[in-house]
Amino acid sequence: MAVSAVHLESDAFLVCMNHALSTEKEEVMGLCIGEVTTDSFFACFGVDTNRIVHIHSVIILRRSDKRKDRVEISPEQLSSAATESYRLAEMTGRPMRVVGWYHSHPHITVWPSHVDVRTQAMYQMMDQGFVGLIFSCFIEDKNTKTGRVLYTCFQSVQAQKGSEYERIEIPIHVIPHEAIGKVCLESAVELPRILCQEEQDTYRKIHSLTQLDPITKIHNGSVFTKNLCSQMSAVSGPLLQWLEDRLEQNKQNIIELQLEKERLTQELATM
Amino acid sequence: MAASISGYTFSSVCYHSANSNSDHEGFLLGEVRHEETVSISDTQISSSELLQVVEVHNHEPCAQLFSFYDYAGQVNEESLNRILKDRRKNVIGWYRFRRNTQQQMSFREQIIHKQLTQLLGVPDLVFLLFSFISTANNSTHALEYVLFRPNRSRYNQRVTLSIPNLGNTSQQEYKVSSVPNTSLNYAKVIKEHGAEFFDKDGVMKDIRTIFQVYGALQDKVQSVCGEVEQSERVKEKVQEEVNKLKQQIVLRKRKTTDEERRLQEAQNPELRLTPEENTEPPETALLSRVAFHTPSTPERPGPSANPPAYSDLLSLQNDSLLPFSSSPTSAALLPRPQAVGSPGHPSPSPLGLGLSAGPNPAPSPGQEDDDEEEDDEDSSEYENLVSEVGQLPPVSAIVLLQGRPAALSPDGDASVRGSQT
């Protein structure tokens, strides 16, 4: 049974956007956590049920293969994502699981490549309802100085002839969610931690090489320092700034809402 | 001129826009720097170029449309100050998010921009326009953005907006092997003097230091994140309470008007409503019934499926186009103008309601509608119409908007609105 639509909560959408816009030099990826609902009304009439995938939050993933044009998820990452979804399930009281994956296409068209379609087909083998999201960003039309960010949702089907796969388009809607959920906030602040971890792992491998002379070691140490600095100024810093602004805005909104609540309470009392 | 905005601010604007089922707007806060680049060419020993760099630090979203200006595009400085407070001095521009529209400033936006430039005292105020478009099957969506600086000449108005990011996180800069060197002196010198860089464990001191900086920063991010999370939950709770109170008030009002109606019917049987009125679609039924029976409206000749035309209401009030005068009893009960955005406070201007009585019934307040595209057909049409109007020979803005012929109103009910002024 194909998926008829994807509903992406706007706070999960926010985290996806944050992640996609974090780097223009390589593709980033993550997993989508949520639930699938089926419209039982139609089931009574024997019609194919209306399957809707609800995405409540996302998990940012480490790139196991840092090649520019490939995105693949390791089994360990999938299993830790499963742990995340149990946590979300406990928090919301609803059954949550991994329902899809997303990745970014910086400077590239939003449509999935052949590799993407094949990867999606593989995931669909273990879960028919698995969906794929792609965010295309850092696109600019030099003539009109228009920037563009696109997002699309797709699944894979076997092509008519041959054993190749082709994509099918799945409608996706961003559902308004006025407040940002706890899980989404936690996912958002994971990014700097993940970047640092990746850097540390690479450095550790290099550092364990024994035949390096002191100058080379100093060089490598400086590369690590430089990379960490650029992570802090490009990701951690702006993230902290946004969090502070959001806190300020929320405080303001709460004051205004309290005033309105008082006003409404009085109005109700006089009726 | 160059401009930049952080990815987090950009996503935040997208997030607020996704949450609103109408257009969304707000202010851009930041600073303008001047960068001097010196270059040497064959003809001059040094020529310096002054580059203006606009940096957007964050944004101040407006909770609803028409919060600091009215339907005629007149900016109200008091409301502006109420929204901005002490952030007023940091404003470097404003932004607007629209769905299914053209990538150009509408006439109203141009008028507002001129006034904001004057009021805020920012000669090069910028305007960031987001437009959202989707494929027919809603599987692919595009968000286009253009930064305008309308106060400059016509030919140089668009500025490239860049989003600084991590860029190249390639770890290929690490060296896996040293350049081969058999010189003993080389080895000796670098070992002796290079030892300064390493601590007793052979780890580079710089690495420990920078790691401490990173750790402290990440801790701070975590703690502020915790505070944000708490504030989100508090905000959610208070919002819920406010919504409940609003619902209770609506129910209470409905009960009292129902009772009044029953009393009236009991006293005067000939004014009993025909059964047709009760078969109206539920969304318009409640509101039109309530509006029908407010004390200030005159008796109507017969039931109508459409909410009462603004022109009828106008005849009861004075004709001044004061932006923030309000008649809470009658106008507040009219259906929210669809997709143009609810101003919250009713305004006697006719334009806002021109779109509400169209083929799509307006959603009831507080109802979350995830079908963004359908709602905003009207707003896009509206913006396009206004920009068309902008090409007519110049007349004062208010007169121009007043004189819009009824035929342009998308609800097709031109005859009723013939008196729209």
Side-chain angles (χ1 to χ4, degrees):
Chain A
M1 285 176 288
V3 170
S4 51
V6 170
H7 288 189
L8 175 64
E9 295 277 331
S10 64
D11 53 353
F13 173 66
L14 171 68
V15 181
C16 290
M17 284 283 284
N18 281 345
H19 195 201
L21 292 174
S22 68
T23 174
E24 64 178 296
K25 282 290 159 65
E26 60 188 20
E27 300 183 358
V28 299
M29 64 187 241
L31 289 174
C32 307
I33 312 271
E35 53 185 343
V36 181
T37 58
T38 51
D39 195 339
S40 50
F41 175 77
F42 289 104
C44 303
F45 296 90
V47 179
D48 257 354
T49 53
N50 214 19
R51 275 174 130 213
I52 299 186
V53 176
H54 299 264
I55 300 176
H56 290 273
S57 92
V58 297
I59 295 178
I60 291 177
L61 285 179
R62 291 182 50 181
R63 295 277 312 282
S64 45
D65 181 350
K66 278 219 164 248
R67 264 180 283 181
K68 193 167 182 267
D69 59 345
R70 298 170 65 94
V71 274
E72 274 146 20
I73 312 171
S74 71
E76 297 88 23
Q77 287 175 326
L78 272 175
S79 104
S80 74
T83 320
E84 259 307 297
S85 26
Y86 294 148
R87 227 168 49 93
L88 181 56
E90 275 189 9
M91 243 192 282
T92 56
R94 290 209 297 277
M96 297 278 172
R97 58 185 178 83
V98 179
V99 292
W101 66 306
Y102 72 90
H103 70 281
S104 73
H105 273 187
H107 298 291
I108 320 168
T109 170
V110 71
W111 306 127
S113 63
H114 289 308
V115 178
D116 293 337
V117 176
R118 225 175 299 138
T119 313
Q120 169 66 27
M122 262 175 23
Y123 293 139
Q124 274 176 241
M125 282 184 214
M126 63 170 188
D127 176 3
Q128 263 189 331
F130 212 73
V131 292
L133 269 63
I134 299 180
F135 288 83
S136 162
C137 39
F138 300 108
I139 309 249
E140 199 205 357
D141 179 353
K142 291 267 185 289
N143 294 330
T144 57
K145 304 235 172 113
T146 305
R148 230 170 257 132
V149 170
L150 298 100
Y151 59 99
T152 188
C153 182
F154 73 105
Q155 279 195 304
S156 300
V157 284
Q158 196 103 38
Q160 291 288 12
K161 44 183 190 281
S163 58
E164 269 308 309
Y165 291 100
E166 55 184 25
R167 75 176 165 99
I168 50 167
E169 298 176 345
I170 307 284
I172 176 168
H173 303 269
V174 175
I175 311 294
H177 199 233
E178 282 295 339
I180 307 177
K182 176 174 180 167
V183 185
C184 286
L185 277 171
E186 288 177 356
S187 292
V189 301
E190 267 303 294
L191 181 57
R193 203 198 301 274
I194 288 174
L195 292 169
C196 181
Q197 194 66 52
E198 284 178 342
E199 199 65 41
Q200 279 184 284
D201 287 351
T202 311
Y203 180 71
R204 216 168 274 138
K205 270 188 237 153
I206 301 286
H207 190 64
S208 62
L209 299 168
T210 47
Q211 70 278 30
L212 303 174
D213 67 24
I215 292 291
T216 314
K217 285 191 184 160
I218 295 170
H219 171 97
N220 287 338
S222 307
V223 170
F224 177 84
T225 308
K226 170 190 85 85
N227 286 349
L228 220 60
C229 285
S230 84
Q231 283 172 22
M232 285 194 277
S233 57
V235 179
S236 306
L239 173 57
L240 186 55
Q241 183 190 292
W242 170 67
L243 284 170
E244 287 173 5
D245 290 336
R246 179 80 186 169
L247 187 60
E248 241 345 278
Q249 271 176 20
N250 283 351
K251 286 183 177 162
Q252 267 309 118
N253 289 346
I254 290 171
I255 293 175
E256 286 164 15
L257 283 171
Q258 301 276 30
L259 286 172
E260 196 179 347
K261 182 177 151 189
E262 278 171 24
R263 189 183 60 83
L264 290 171
T265 316
Q266 278 183 354
E267 190 179 335
L268 195 61
T270 59
M271 284 178 91
Chain B
M1 198 198 217
S4 73
I5 185 172
S6 97
Y8 288 98
T9 308
F10 186 91
S11 324
S12 177
V13 174
C14 295
Y15 167 70
H16 279 97
S17 309
N19 280 343
S20 81
N21 58 359
S22 66
D23 292 357
H24 172 69
E25 64 197 0
F27 294 93
L28 298 171
L29 311 169
E31 68 173 312
V32 181
R33 285 187 299 112
H34 290 94
E35 260 178 22
E36 197 173 332
T37 52
V38 182
S39 58
I40 299 175
S41 72
D42 286 340
T43 50
Q44 287 179 273
I45 192 69
S46 81
S47 60
S48 72
E49 234 179 66
L50 206 60
L51 180 68
Q52 220 181 1
V53 180
V54 174
E55 288 174 350
V56 179
H57 294 165
N58 51 20
H59 72 113
E60 183 71 49
C62 293
Q64 53 216 16
L65 296 175
F66 301 102
S67 49
F68 61 96
Y69 57 93
D70 64 2
Y71 286 90
Q74 194 76 24
V75 174
N76 180 293
E77 190 163 1
E78 224 178 82
S79 312
L80 195 65
N81 286 331
R82 214 180 318 130
I83 296 171
L84 292 172
K85 296 189 239 303
D86 58 350
R87 302 179 120 187
R88 187 179 154 139
K89 53 185 181 326
N90 298 331
V91 176
I92 51 157
W94 63 302
Y95 69 89
R96 200 121 197 280
F97 168 90
R98 304 195 233 120
R99 296 181 172 93
N100 304 315
T101 61
Q102 294 173 306
Q103 279 282 347
Q104 60 193 46
M105 290 182 79
S106 72
F107 185 57
R108 179 189 282 152
E109 283 160 6
Q110 286 172 25
I111 298 175
I112 293 174
H113 190 88
K114 282 209 180 71
Q115 294 173 72
L116 284 176
T117 306
Q118 251 187 342
L119 284 173
L120 297 167
V122 182
D124 228 344
L125 197 74
V126 295
F127 175 68
L128 181 55
L129 177 61
F130 289 89
S131 76
F132 186 80
I133 198 160
S134 314
T135 53
N137 64 359
N138 286 317
S139 69
T140 308
H141 308 266
L143 185 75
E144 298 190 334
Y145 53 96
V146 190
L147 186 67
F148 292 95
R149 38 176 194 165
N151 300 332
R152 291 284 167 129
S153 72
R154 287 185 145 264
Y155 304 104
N156 205 12
Q157 286 201 352
R158 293 173 179 225
V159 183
T160 300
L161 183 67
S162 69
I163 303 177
N165 56 86
L166 209 46
N168 206 343
T169 54
S170 151
Q171 284 146 350
Q172 282 147 17
E173 289 174 317
Y174 287 110
K175 286 198 177 187
V176 291
S177 60
S178 304
V179 175
N181 196 317
T182 53
S183 154
L184 289 171
N185 280 322
Y186 179 76
K188 189 161 168 273
V189 169
I190 62 175
K191 184 168 179 201
E192 199 180 303
H193 294 275
E196 273 296 305
F197 279 88
F198 301 94
D199 63 15
K200 52 182 173 47
D201 298 321
V203 178
M204 241 182 94
K205 291 178 191 164
D206 274 0
I207 288 187
R208 283 207 205 273
T209 325
I210 200 65
F211 200 73
Q212 274 177 355
V213 176
Y214 160 79
L217 189 55
Q218 187 63 15
D219 288 341
K220 188 51 93 157
V221 165
Q222 270 322 120
S223 89
V224 176
C225 178
E227 287 177 56
V228 170
E229 207 268 311
Q230 273 181 352
S231 68
E232 298 280 341
R233 303 289 79 83
V234 170
K235 191 173 84 154
E236 255 181 336
K237 201 166 79 78
V238 186
Q239 181 73 65
E240 224 178 274
E241 290 168 4
V242 162
N243 290 345
K244 256 192 242 159
L245 284 169
K246 282 190 179 156
Q247 268 182 357
Q248 284 179 325
I249 290 179
V250 166
L251 281 171
R252 196 74 72 88
K253 280 194 177 149
R254 182 196 202 172
K255 243 184 8 172
T256 48
T257 48
D258 274 355
E259 283 168 8
E260 272 175 30
R261 181 165 52 99
R262 267 185 241 116
L263 264 171
Q264 269 192 353
E265 282 174 14
Q267 292 168 6
N268 299 308
E270 57 264 23
L271 276 184
R272 180 161 298 150
L273 300 162
T274 61
E276 198 185 282
E277 163 133 348
N278 298 326
T279 61
E280 279 171 8
E283 314 90 75
T284 48
L286 163 66
L287 297 162
S288 58
R289 222 183 314 139
V290 167
F292 192 104
H293 292 286
T294 51
S296 50
T297 51
E299 242 153 77
R300 300 188 164 274
S304 100
N306 286 334
Y310 239 13
S311 49
D312 295 309
L313 268 185
L314 273 183
S315 60
L316 307 170
Q317 309 165 7
N318 55 23
D319 286 353
S320 66
L321 267 179
L322 290 172
F324 298 95
S325 70
S326 57
S327 58
T329 46
S330 50
L333 303 168
L334 289 162
R336 204 167 98 171
Q338 182 163 320
V340 179
S342 161
H345 49 263
S347 151
S349 157
L351 293 169
L353 248 218
L355 303 161
S356 66
N360 303 323
S364 52
Q367 178 185 328
E368 280 188 336
D369 193 359
D370 63 351
D371 202 357
E372 310 145 73
E373 289 74 40
E374 166 192 289
D375 274 351
D376 292 298
E377 289 290 10
D378 294 335
S379 107
S380 66
E381 230 176 316
Y382 177 54
E383 289 292 351
N384 289 337
L385 287 169
V386 174
S387 54
E388 273 173 58
V389 163
Q391 287 157 20
L392 296 174
V395 286
S396 94
I398 294 175
V399 171
L400 194 63
L401 294 168
Q402 265 184 320
R404 200 161 75 113
L408 288 176
S409 159
D411 65 356
D413 200 4
S415 53
V416 175
R417 292 175 199 290
S419 61
Q420 193 171 21
T421 47

